[in-house]
Amino acid sequence: MSKNSKIVILGGAESGVGAAVLAQKQGYNVFVSDLGRISDEYKNILIEKKIDFEEGKHSHEKITNANEVIKSPGIPDNAEVIKKIREKNIPIVSEIEFGFRFTKAKMICITGTNGKTTSTMLTHHILKKAGLKVGLGGNVGKSFAMQVAENNYDYYVLELSSFQLDDMHNFKADIAILLNITPDHLDRYDYSLQKYIDSKFRIMQNQTPDDAFIFCADDQYIRTELLKKNPKVQLYPFSISTEEGMTAFIKNNQININLNKTQFSMSIYELALKGKHNLYNSMASGIASRIIDISKEIVRESFADFENVEHRLEKVNTVHGIEFINDSKATNVNSTWYALESMEKPVILILGGVDKGNDYSMIKELIKEKVKAIVCLGLDNKKIHKAYADVVSDIVDTATAAEAVRVAYSKGKKGDVVLLSPACASFDLFKNYEDRGRQFKNAVRSL
């Protein structure tokens, strides 16, 4: 595509504005269109850079005059504007795909239904501690395209959602990590689990025999799909239940990584990240780090001093002996399973929001074992009541974070934990999961 070609960017937030800045720098004719309102932060960048934009509408005639469209991952394929673009056979790519064209940096890319933010942040933490020039982007951190425009990194650690992967075609990961696959976002995949699995496996598209694919060998869907694909890449499996054939495994409460003819081992009790799910995250990040020859000492230090991300099993406060934990990032049932699995105190669980086709039976046994009361936080909680009425006698509905915290607090006693781990998206009552988590934390601090 020639540099004077017209690029239209759908979405005027972090991803879209970053892509706009990079496209302009590369000499493209750029137009940004957002159906909603563009925040002042991003609008000011567009104005300062003299980038043409619109908000509150999509001007279809202007948009379908593009040579290429860069789409925000939040816009579904069945949106009217996307249908019109496809009718004109205009290529649609993600910000990640576009940014990749203009950097020679090595790509460490992480996906999975759960744990990808933690693994991405941990991997970035290790590389940074090792003194490498490394950027953090994708579904976390700053816009990848903006960083390509403004920095000169040697490595990028990218968290990639299935929505981002769907619009990536020529992109290639040097190191790809697939943590797990459980049913999620099926509303975006015609309620087909196979379509969702196919989306996740795009993480390894275009990889060559020189590239690495790190994967959880304990995940049934990943194992089955790998047998079908038989990929020509270097495979690095990890497991907490098997030692044989694994690059990383758990034995005698030690995390072990066998790579580059050396063995790394460390007590799981020394890890900053607690819980079984975080053993997987640590093994994946550790393998990636050892592939690029980061020293065992740096990996060990990083495992010990890493601080987890906001809204992921984040300890907020203890009030009269009742602990409050913010796990607002748990937007699917499997995330909530991991949160509950790591709890060792009686739980008052704050659950609910926008249901994405959830199978609540997945956590029923854990609910029965660990949860003394459920506080629903959503507009429609009928499925939650129906799923758990026979195992939890105390289920109540609330409509704000403040109300949910007050009700949960009233049901707790010293030694209990109030856990916000909603298993649902947040858009019925909140802007996003961050907004939900912050409102929860503010309410706890107001008790």
Side-chain angles (χ1 to χ4, degrees):
M1 193 164 65
S2 70
K3 287 297 178 74
N4 290 322
S5 297
K6 183 175 180 184
I7 281 189
V8 168
I9 294 161
L10 299 181
E14 183 70 29
S15 168
V17 171
V21 170
L22 177 60
Q24 185 196 56
K25 183 179 180 183
Q26 294 296 328
Y28 293 96
N29 180 359
V30 185
F31 176 61
V32 176
S33 177
D34 197 312
L35 195 57
R37 182 185 167 274
I38 299 175
S39 74
D40 290 343
E41 175 191 356
Y42 297 117
K43 199 184 297 185
N44 290 338
I45 296 172
L46 295 172
I47 292 167
E48 181 192 326
K49 300 278 187 185
K50 296 183 172 59
I51 295 171
D52 191 16
F53 70 91
E54 67 178 1
E55 60 181 334
K57 62 179 179 178
H58 284 318
S59 299
H60 288 180
E61 190 174 324
K62 204 167 181 179
I63 290 168
T64 55
N65 193 32
N67 298 100
E68 185 172 44
V69 170
I70 301 172
K71 176 176 84 72
S72 162
I75 300 172
D77 277 345
N78 60 7
E80 193 61 32
V81 67
I82 301 299
K83 290 177 184 174
K84 294 206 177 296
I85 293 165
R86 296 215 189 275
E87 282 169 14
K88 295 268 191 175
N89 292 317
I90 301 167
I92 298 175
V93 299
S94 71
E95 170 230 352
I96 308 294
E97 174 80 5
F98 183 70
F100 178 70
R101 297 172 188 170
F102 306 104
T103 178
K104 301 291 187 193
K106 295 285 187 188
M107 299 289 155
I108 301 174
C109 303
I110 299 165
T111 196
T113 308
N114 297 294
K116 54 186 178 292
T117 301
T118 300
S119 293
T120 302
M121 300 286 283
L122 176 57
T123 305
H124 176 258
H125 176 65
I126 297 170
L127 269 64
K128 205 168 178 188
K129 189 179 269 281
L132 300 178
K133 289 168 66 180
V134 56
L136 172 73
N139 214 31
V140 66
K142 295 296 182 185
S143 159
F144 170 59
M146 183 73 88
Q147 292 178 79
V148 171
E150 296 184 342
N151 298 289
N152 185 28
Y153 290 124
D154 296 322
Y155 291 88
Y156 282 97
V157 183
L158 301 179
E159 175 191 338
L160 298 177
S161 70
S162 55
F163 301 159
Q164 286 166 319
L165 289 163
D166 289 338
D167 293 310
M168 290 162 61
H169 310 287
N170 297 313
F171 180 95
K172 180 178 80 73
D174 297 280
I175 298 174
I177 299 174
L178 180 52
L179 294 166
N180 48 59
I181 297 176
T182 54
D184 190 26
H185 300 299
L186 296 189
D187 50 333
R188 282 276 290 259
Y189 293 97
D190 303 323
Y191 293 93
S192 163
L193 177 58
Q194 186 58 51
K195 286 184 180 179
Y196 178 62
I197 291 171
D198 292 343
S199 177
K200 286 297 186 191
F201 264 86
R202 290 174 70 91
I203 189 85
M204 66 189 309
Q205 68 183 354
N206 305 317
Q207 284 197 303
T208 71
D210 293 327
D211 299 316
F213 181 63
I214 301 167
F215 65 96
C216 178
D218 294 341
D219 189 290
Q220 170 195 338
Y221 295 122
I222 296 176
R223 287 200 315 270
T224 302
E225 201 64 23
L226 274 178
L227 287 173
K228 287 190 218 168
K229 292 185 181 300
N230 190 26
K232 300 296 183 279
V233 296
Q234 296 178 46
L235 299 176
Y236 296 90
F238 58 89
S239 167
I240 64 170
S241 57
T242 306
E243 178 182 348
E244 190 177 349
M246 295 298 120
T247 306
F249 56 92
I250 306 297
K251 185 178 181 182
N252 299 328
N253 292 323
Q254 296 267 328
I255 183 169
N256 297 276
I257 302 172
N258 286 332
L259 206 67
N260 299 339
K261 297 180 180 172
T262 62
Q263 181 171 20
F264 168 91
S265 62
M266 180 176 180
S267 168
I268 63 173
Y269 303 112
E270 295 175 51
L271 300 173
L273 291 169
K274 304 302 181 189
K276 187 164 72 175
H277 57 296
N278 280 320
L279 295 177
Y280 288 119
N281 296 332
S282 299
M283 285 190 284
S285 298
I287 294 170
S289 304
R290 295 292 294 133
I291 286 173
I292 59 173
D293 273 332
I294 290 177
S295 74
K296 292 188 285 186
E297 290 70 25
I298 293 290
V299 174
R300 187 183 312 281
E301 285 176 27
S302 303
F303 277 175
D305 67 11
F306 177 68
E307 292 182 10
N308 204 356
V309 295
E310 188 181 13
H311 311 298
R312 172 60 83 210
L313 289 174
E314 177 190 10
K315 292 181 180 178
V316 180
N317 206 353
T318 300
V319 182
H320 293 129
I322 303 170
E323 188 177 1
F324 288 81
I325 295 177
N326 168 28
D327 193 42
S328 183
K329 203 172 188 303
T331 58
N332 58 62
V333 174
N334 205 53
S335 275
T336 301
W337 186 94
Y338 283 123
L340 284 171
E341 185 269 336
S342 66
M343 293 297 119
E344 295 175 353
K345 301 175 182 177
V347 176
I348 296 107
L349 178 63
I350 301 177
L351 198 64
V354 179
D355 186 301
K356 299 178 290 185
N358 286 347
D359 176 6
Y360 289 107
S361 66
M362 285 171 58
I363 55 173
K364 191 164 186 175
E365 280 305 310
L366 273 174
I367 295 262
K368 184 179 178 182
E369 177 190 341
K370 301 199 174 197
V371 175
K372 60 189 281 188
I374 293 174
V375 177
C376 298
L377 179 56
L379 291 178
D380 183 1
N381 306 308
K382 291 193 287 291
K383 270 183 77 174
I384 294 171
H385 282 269
K386 187 176 178 184
Y388 305 127
D390 59 334
V391 292
V392 178
S393 59
D394 193 357
I395 305 178
V396 296
D397 296 330
T398 61
T400 67
E403 184 187 6
V405 166
R406 282 197 309 272
V407 170
Y409 179 56
S410 72
K411 295 180 179 299
K413 64 181 184 182
K414 187 176 180 180
D416 289 348
V417 59
V418 172
L419 171 67
L420 170 68
S421 190
C424 296
S426 55
F427 306 122
D428 54 346
L429 294 173
F430 307 93
K431 292 177 190 171
N432 46 43
Y433 76 80
E434 293 100 333
D435 178 39
R436 176 170 61 191
R438 285 176 192 133
Q439 288 196 37
F440 172 80
K441 291 196 289 184
N442 288 338
V444 171
R445 288 165 184 148
S446 297
L447 285 174

